[in-house]
Amino acid sequence: RILVSLVDVEKPGDMTAGQGGWILLVDDEPEVTVFYSRVAEALNLTHYTAASCEEARKIVDERGRPRLVITDLQLGNSSGLDLLQHLRASFGEKLPVIVVSGNSDEKLMEKTRAAGATSYLTKPVGRRKLFAEIREILAG
């Protein structure tokens, strides 16, 4: 189980000031997307969640280009790599995509980075690490 407490996180500030846009959070485990959502809310980021590649694609088709995508690799019967490839084909290399996976295999990490992942984090990801990663990527 993931426990979430944002009380002791340094003042996150408003990551949307002058930026607009939204972020997409993709994981087939509801408690993980709740964790990601709480981090996004603490950063004042508009966000949408999806439990599958198909759901994520539908959201992107309806809303257009997100500012950032955080996705798992294992999404039930689908793969986060498929989603990553779809995002790269649709929006190019400039869209930041953080892949979060419980799999720490070096070859998989290399394959994921080669497919265009901006960052690869292994689970469990602590809130401070996730905050730092999101802030760094969105700050440019």
Side-chain angles (χ1 to χ4, degrees):
R1 268 212 113 94
I2 297 174
L3 300 175
V4 179
S5 171
L6 300 175
V7 175
D8 61 338
V9 173
E10 294 177 19
K11 296 176 186 174
D14 184 353
M15 295 298 298
T16 62
Q19 297 289 323
W22 57 280
I23 67 171
L24 179 60
L25 312 169
V26 188
D27 199 294
D28 60 343
E29 297 286 335
E31 61 271 10
V32 174
T33 53
V34 167
F35 168 66
Y36 293 164
S37 293
R38 289 184 178 161
V39 170
E41 289 164 7
L43 290 168
N44 198 26
L45 292 165
T46 300
H47 61 281
Y48 296 89
T49 62
S52 67
C53 287
E54 296 76 24
E55 192 177 344
R57 285 180 185 180
K58 183 178 178 188
I59 292 168
V60 169
D61 288 347
E62 291 172 0
R63 305 231 168 249
R65 183 187 189 276
R67 284 182 65 199
L68 169 70
V69 176
I70 301 174
T71 185
D72 190 10
L73 281 181
Q74 286 296 336
L75 298 168
N77 294 331
S78 57
S79 167
L81 281 176
D82 294 337
L83 177 60
L84 177 58
Q85 291 167 346
H86 174 77
L87 293 168
R88 288 291 169 244
S90 299
F91 304 110
E93 295 295 318
K94 290 189 178 184
L95 171 64
V97 179
I98 300 172
V99 172
V100 183
S101 176
N103 191 330
S104 61
D105 178 69
E106 281 297 323
K107 288 184 181 185
L108 180 61
M109 289 180 178
E110 288 174 23
K111 180 179 178 181
T112 304
R113 287 188 186 106
T118 308
S119 179
Y120 189 107
L121 304 175
T122 53
K123 292 180 181 178
V125 176
R127 65 187 177 279
R128 288 183 188 273
K129 175 66 177 165
L130 191 58
F131 260 81
E133 196 72 19
I134 291 170
R135 287 176 128 179
E136 181 180 329
I137 287 173
L138 292 182

